[in-house]
Amino acid sequence: MSEGKETPILEMVGIGKRFGGVTALTGIDFDLRRGEVHGLVGENGAGKSTLMKIIAGVHHGYDGEMRIDGQPVHFRSARDALAAGIGMVHQELSIVPQLSVAENVFLGVQPTNGLGVVSWGRMKREAREHLQLLGIDIDPSRETGTLPIGMQQLIEIGRVLFSGARIVILDEPTSALSPPEVKHLFEVLGRLKAKGTTFVFISHFLEDILEVSDRVTVFRNSRKVATVDAASVDKAWVIEQMIGAGHHELADAMLGEIRLESPKGAPVVFSARGLSRPRSFADVSFDVKAGEVVGLYGFMGSGQTELARALMGKARLHGGTVSMGGQEIRLRSTADAKKAGIALVPESRRAMLFTHEPVYKNISISILERISRLLLKPAEERRIAQGHVDALRIRPFSVEPEVRKLSGGNQQKVALARWLTHLPRLLVLSEPTKGMDVGAKDDVVKIVKGLKEKGVAVVVASAEPETVLTMADRILVMRKGQIAQEFAERGVSKDQLLAAA
Amino acid sequence: MNADVASAAGREGGSIGRWVAGRLTNLAPLVTLLFLVLVFSLMAPSFATLDNLGNIMRQVSITAIIATGLTFVILTAEIDLSVASIANAVGIVVAYFTLQETYVNIANVPMPGAVAILFALLAAFALGTVNAVGVTVIGIPSFIMTLAMMQIGAGISALLVRGQIAYAIPDPVRFLGSGMMGPFPSIVVVACLFLLVGHLVLTYTRFGRYVYMVGGNREAAEFSGVNVKLVIAAVMIISAVCCGVAGMLGVAYYGSAQQNEFDDYLLDSIAAVVVGGTSLFGGQGGIPNTILGLLVLGVLNNGLDHIDIDSFLKVLIRGLILLLALIINVYAQRLRNRAA
Ligand SMILES: Nc1ncnc2c1ncn2[C@@H]1O[C@H](COP(=O)(O)OP(=O)(O)OP(=O)(O)O)[C@@H](O)[C@H]1O
Ligand SMILES: [Mg+2]
């Protein structure tokens, strides 16, 4: 097939997919050129992951046709797709937390010696080499579940990138990474691309998409609206295609300075003194006032996610004191923390959602003791949950579907909604906009503003500068487990923040 | 049959296929049950009679009481291997505190009936508490902790009866275990009551919701501020108390208290819960599933006695049918999870 125009490595024609009553994809035509990076963007629930799961053999009941190298194919399983050279990093981590790093890198394809025995030495050596290419240097025999979530994400990416797949699908691979890791990842993509690997890259970070992609496809409401050369468009255009005209403010890049200002004269709600936990953070002290949003910024592994967990009583503090409203409290369990008025939305969806339970049970779980003493009141639970579903625009607009049927970004909103009925005194948000589209991120910013007005003390921990910059009144930069710098009552730019981290 | 259902579920447009796949965990044991009833009815005329129905109900009653508590435990993704052993020990405790005939050579400590029953229930509660503390405070996996408790229970039983057999038990226990309430055997009524209360607690109370949520995703429950350890401690104690009641009534049912009397109940109760479709990974299933499982087990055990086959072969057949039911169950669960 060497006529003028090259056959696309993958071609999809008229793809349609329904889940019961929900239409996830309608009449999608999509193709990949050999050796390109193809960016895929669209609102939460637009159908991005669904289309990719069809390519990767996860969903096999669909309409339309898929061709690889011009040959029609219909995968029945992920194994089929893998055999055809297609690998996918899913939005939800699928690493096995109990296994070692090396075992996860080689999950399912362990190198064996002549006798079919797994050769551990080789496995560890190669795992280490692979991960070093991604810029991380860790002991491959460590238990994966003990690593920060971003590190787990990189391990999973490593597994697929170095599996030898010719088509690699990355579904929001950078959602838990900080700028240095993202940069490394892009370098590796560039190298593999030069060797002929084809990539699909899904992300809600539109600048990233425009930077790494050759072509960009925009999805909207189960349909494809455009496929264009990335070099020919800008962020504002992409947003307009995604959600319609009239959202210029969403496109503003954070290049200028943000003015930080804390509420004056408000009482201190929460204070931490000399908090420490070996290998995570040391000697951390800070206060949060009523109606103040404190940003905890740091690169991946700087300790801010562990600190957030410790504040909820999920990770033990080995030193230091914590007090609420001047009263010293002890955080032996999450139940203790909750009683003291502390709430946390952790960065990992797996850690906070009951995927096989309906939306309303996921929302009501944290307030059950307020709704009912002994007997449940499902009608009340549904009513409250429906209020959040409407306010946060969670799609579908129903409280009944099991959470696993929601798109990634909508799942994140469900987790947040859990704490919005009876407001905590201190709300800790760890990577609160992870996996959310531009519109949804804006919604979260508005929710946090609303919480401020109601006097809630908020801590926003993130490795992503925009998240902290758009929400915080004061920013603490963490580096190697310690607070390295504080930005308060002054202007600060993204560059200054990155320089401090 | 499996392949058909699978492909129907795969064509995700086929709404009947999806409906079936979604409910397969409940349908699979039901189909197994109907199948067994049909086969036994055809093979043995004595099987499908009202009398025999009564037999089956009585035969599963003790298992039912144990399985009620065990359902709570398994729903939280824990396990209790000490159920039979606790039942045995508590049954012996109640006999130990009851005046025995002179020919029974046991150093027993006679008490009024109500006190003996209270002591027995306290013993069950205490053993459950030891399990609970081991699992939640010390952090021993429930599999190991209850394995140790299995030995402890056996030890208590051995010490108290020293190889002898005790017969006397308090009257209320005798009535509930071997008496009649009108036309119904009281043990069946008690078993139904346990299942009913268990079901109501799991479905309509806040505690019941926590049980499901802890089993569904323990970490998420913790992050929601649920006191996970307290919930797990509670289910371990509930299980032990159910076993205690089953043990006392069992002594009445069999008419004697002795060592190793309940050994078969460990496997039977776990099988009833799991064959019924409650997931060993927690969070899915419930008492209705357990009831189905109990009936499958009861029909199987009873039916095999009605047909004319080598009695040594029966054990093997029973094992094979249970295995088959479990396999169907696992596939059903997989399909359910796949069906959108
Ligand atoms: N297994 C499922 N069962 C039912 N509905 C589903 C299932 N998977 C996805 N959907 C629905 O299909 C639609 C598309 O979901 P998809 O996950 O593809 O969105 P997405 O573009 O990846 O969004 P996000 O950016 O939030 O990840 C959503 O409305 C979602 O609720
Ligand atoms: Mg997605």
Side-chain angles (χ1 to χ4, degrees), chain A residues 137-173:
Chain A
D137 196 7
I138 39 172
D139 175 6
S141 42
R142 267 189 75 172
E143 189 182 321
T144 315
T146 63
L147 296 167
I149 187 110
M151 200 76 94
Q152 299 183 20
Q153 198 170 29
L154 279 172
I155 290 165
E156 182 148 351
I157 294 171
R159 170 168 86 218
V160 177
L161 282 186
F162 301 108
S163 68
R166 343 180 253 154
I167 301 177
V168 174
I169 300 166
L170 302 169
D171 194 348
E172 299 191 28

Side-chain angles (χ1 to χ4, degrees), chain B residues 83-308:
Chain B
V83 284
S85 173
I86 289 181
N88 204 352
V90 174
I92 286 173
V93 165
V94 84
Y96 183 80
F97 288 117
T98 309
L99 181 65
Q100 299 293 331
E101 302 286 348
T102 44
Y103 61 82
V104 176
N105 199 2
I106 294 177
N108 73 326
V109 184
M111 297 268 174
V115 179
I117 294 172
L118 184 71
F119 277 11
L121 285 175
L122 281 177
F125 186 86
L127 294 178
T129 306
V130 173
N131 272 341
V133 169
V135 173
T136 59
V137 180
I138 307 176
I140 308 171
S142 57
F143 181 84
I144 305 293
M145 179 63 222
T146 57
L147 202 61
M149 179 55 70
M150 190 168 139
Q151 284 297 305
I152 293 172
I156 293 173
S157 301
L159 266 179
L160 293 184
V161 289
R162 297 183 168 272
Q164 302 284 310
I165 299 175
Y167 299 97
I169 46 169
D171 286 338
V173 176
R174 183 175 308 286
F175 168 70
L176 291 176
S178 58
M180 296 291 281
M181 288 187 188
F184 304 109
S186 18
I187 196 164
V188 175
V189 177
V190 174
C192 289
L193 221 63
F194 265 73
L195 289 166
L196 179 71
V197 171
H199 179 63
L200 294 179
V201 169
L202 280 175
T203 329
Y204 297 106
T205 69
R206 184 152 66 90
F207 172 70
R209 174 70 63 76
Y210 288 151
V211 168
Y212 277 97
M213 298 309 240
V214 166
N217 186 344
R218 181 164 304 181
E219 204 180 9
E222 236 177 294
F223 275 124
S224 312
V226 175
N227 197 333
V228 171
K229 288 186 172 171
L230 197 64
V231 173
I232 290 175
V235 297
M236 297 311 290
I237 293 174
I238 288 174
S239 172
V241 170
C242 287
C243 294
V245 173
M248 283 192 268
L249 301 199
V251 167
Y253 181 78
Y254 290 116
S256 67
Q258 52 187 306
Q259 277 171 255
N260 299 19
E261 194 168 23
F262 287 78
D263 286 1
D264 289 343
Y265 285 99
L266 171 58
L267 230 62
D268 273 19
S269 54
I270 293 180
V273 176
V274 178
V275 167
T278 295
S279 164
L280 277 170
F281 301 109
Q284 287 175 31
I287 296 291
N289 294 85
T290 299
I291 293 175
L292 276 177
L294 284 165
L295 292 175
V296 168
L297 218 68
V299 165
L300 184 59
N301 286 345
N302 175 286
L304 284 175
D305 287 338
H306 283 259
I307 57 176
D308 197 21

